[in-house]
Amino acid sequence: MASQNLQSVPAELSPEEQERERAGQAYFDRIIAEDSRIEPRDWMPEAYRRTLLRQVSQHAHSEIIGMQPEANWITRAPSLKRKAILMAKVQDEAGHGLYLYSAAETLGQSRDKMMQDLIDGKARYSSIFNYPAVSWADMGAIGWLVDGAAICNQVPLCRASYGPYGRAMVRICKEESFHQRQGFEILLELSNGTPAQKQMAQDAVNRWYAPALMMFGPPDDDSPNSKQSMAWNIKRFSNDELRSRFVGMMVEQVRVLGLTLPDPEIRFNEETKKWEHGPLDWNEFKDVLAGKGPCNAQRMERRRQAHEDGAWVREAAAAYAAKQAEKEHAA
C-alpha cells in the first residue's frame, strides 16, 4: 500500500484530530490506488508533501540555473537566426522555472524561501548544469542529449499524482521537445559541414554523453527516494529503466547524425529486452552534487548576483501591489 512506510496517527492528537487523520489517509490511499490526482487542498501525508516539495523545487532551480550555459552563447551564435532561436529557448527555460515554482508554492513553501535556500546552498539542482559549454556544438549536444534526457524523464511526470505538478509538466514537455529538435538540427548541420565542424560536434557529444546519462539519478540500488516516489505515483519508472530507454533512443538518432556515442559497451540485451551501457563514474556525479564540479561556484555566484541585481524590481513590484491593495480597501 502507498501508506505502508508512513507512521501511524500520532497519539498526542485529540480523538477528533486522529479521526480526521485516519480519514485523510484513507482518502489519500484510495486516490493513489485509483491512479487519480491529489490537489493542493486535499489531505496528504507530510512525507508525501516533503518529497514533492524537494523534487518540484529542485526541478525549478534546475530550469533557472540551466539558463546560464546557453545564455552565454546567445551573443556568440553564428547567425541572427541562431541567436533568435537560442534566445527563445532560454526564455522558455525561465518560464518552466516559474511554472514549477508556482506548483511548489501550492505545497506551502514561499518562492522567496525556495530561492534563498538555493542561494544559501541548502537546495540542489541538476548536476548537468555544472559542466562548461565550450563550443557552439555544445548548444547542439545540450539540446539533443540533455533536453532529450529531460523529455525521457519528464513525460511520465505529466501523469504525476500531484495535480499542479503534472499539469505544469504538460506544457514544459511540449517546449522541451522543440528544444531537443533544435539541438539535433545544430549537430546535424555541423556533422554535414567541414571535417573540423564534424569533429567539433563529435567532441561535444563525447563530453555530454555521460553527464546526460547521470541526469536520471543514481542506480536504483543507490536511490533511496525512488521506490517511495513510485509507490505514490509521483514517478512512474525507475532511474535505470529510464536511462535504458534513453540509450535506446540515442542509438538510433546518432546514426542519422553520422556521429558515434562514446560508449563501446552499448548493447541490446535480448534476454531482458533492454539497452545496456558501459559503467558511469558515480564518484564524479557525487562530487558535482557536493559542489565540486567544474562550474558549481560560477553558477551559484551568477545566480546570487542576478538575485541581488533584481532586488529593486521585487521591491518595486511589492510597493505597487501594496498601493493597489490600499486603493481597493479604500474603495
Side-chain angles (χ1 to χ4, degrees), residues 262-283:
D263 187 350
E265 297 185 41
I266 291 179
R267 71 185 188 95
F268 184 73
N269 188 318
E270 291 291 348
E271 293 183 5
T272 63
K273 302 300 181 184
K274 293 182 179 181
W275 284 92
E276 298 177 350
H277 56 82
L280 297 170
D281 188 348
W282 292 110
N283 288 326

Side-chain angles (χ1 to χ4, degrees), residues 4 16 21 59 70 100 109 119 131 139 296 318:
Q4 67 185 94
E16 292 80 6
E21 286 290 302
H59 193 164
E70 293 174 308
L100 292 164
Q109 185 84 282
I119 291 172
Y131 291 88
M139 296 301 96
N296 290 66

Side-chain angles (χ1 to χ4, degrees), residues 285-324:
F285 175 79
K286 292 174 182 177
D287 284 344
V288 174
L289 281 183
K292 302 175 185 176
C295 298
N296 290 66
Q298 180 188 84
R299 299 286 186 251
M300 289 310 306
E301 178 56 33
R302 288 186 177 177
R303 181 63 257 166
R304 292 189 192 96
Q305 188 61 52
H307 190 69
E308 292 172 5
D309 291 345
W312 70 272
V313 178
R314 296 191 297 277
E315 292 168 3
Y320 177 78
K323 287 183 179 180
Q324 293 300 108

Side-chain angles (χ1 to χ4, degrees), residues 39-257:
E39 297 297 339
R41 294 187 180 182
D42 292 340
W43 186 94
M44 64 186 77
E46 185 57 31
Y48 177 82
R49 185 189 302 275
R50 287 197 306 268
T51 296
L52 272 169
L53 183 57
R54 175 189 57 79
Q55 179 170 333
V56 180
S57 62
Q58 180 175 309
H59 193 164
H61 297 328
S62 300
E63 298 285 356
I64 298 302
I65 296 293
M67 297 164 62
Q68 291 188 31
E70 293 174 308
N72 192 41
W73 277 92
I74 291 175
T75 58
R76 295 185 285 168
S79 69
L80 182 59
K81 174 185 174 182
R82 294 294 185 191
K83 286 179 171 63
I85 293 173
L86 190 57
M87 187 181 298
K89 182 184 179 185
V90 172
Q91 289 176 324
D92 283 348
E93 306 295 0
H96 297 173
L98 295 180
Y99 305 153
L100 292 164
Y101 283 130
S102 294
E105 284 179 310
T106 66
L107 293 161
Q109 185 84 282
S110 72
R111 193 171 307 196
D112 288 343
K113 178 65 165 60
M114 286 184 275
M115 187 56 66
Q116 195 60 50
D117 284 347
L118 174 64
I119 291 172
D120 292 342
K122 298 177 181 178
R124 288 178 171 178
Y125 56 89
S126 179
S127 62
I128 193 76
F129 300 117
N130 289 314
Y131 291 88
V134 300
S135 75
W136 171 247
D138 287 49
M139 296 301 96
I142 290 173
W144 180 52
L145 288 171
V146 177
D147 294 326
I151 292 169
C152 192
N153 190 36
Q154 294 171 13
V155 166
L157 293 176
C158 295
R159 296 166 51 217
S161 60
Y162 188 59
Y165 191 28
R167 288 189 288 271
M169 292 312 305
V170 173
R171 178 167 180 175
I172 290 173
C173 287
K174 289 180 180 178
E175 293 177 348
E176 290 290 2
S177 64
F178 155 75
H179 299 168
Q180 193 206 20
R181 289 196 296 272
Q182 172 252 5
F184 184 88
E185 198 269 337
I186 289 174
L187 291 178
L188 184 63
E189 184 166 325
L190 289 172
S191 67
N192 287 309
T194 65
Q197 288 174 323
K198 184 171 184 178
Q199 186 59 51
M200 181 170 65
Q202 183 64 62
D203 290 344
V205 170
N206 292 348
R207 282 194 301 275
W208 290 95
Y209 169 76
L213 289 192
M214 289 189 279
M215 280 180 67
F216 294 97
D220 294 342
D221 293 340
D222 194 28
S223 182
N225 300 313
S226 193
K227 288 183 179 179
Q228 185 60 73
S229 291
M230 291 174 67
W232 280 328
N233 294 343
I234 299 172
K235 288 182 65 171
R236 298 288 173 162
F237 305 100
S238 72
N239 297 350
D240 287 337
E241 184 169 356
L242 289 169
R243 194 166 13 249
S244 174
R245 291 184 179 192
F246 177 65
V247 169
M249 292 165 50
M250 296 302 101
V251 165
E252 296 301 321
Q253 294 177 19
V254 77
R255 293 171 182 158
V256 179
L257 290 173

Side-chain angles (χ1 to χ4, degrees), residues 1-2 26-38 42 159-161 231-233 236:
M1 290 182 62
Y27 172 80
F28 176 85
D29 289 344
R30 178 173 62 82
I31 292 297
I32 297 300
E34 293 174 351
D35 201 5
S36 189
R37 277 187 162 162
I38 300 296
D42 292 340
R159 296 166 51 217
S161 60
W232 280 328
N233 294 343
R236 298 288 173 162

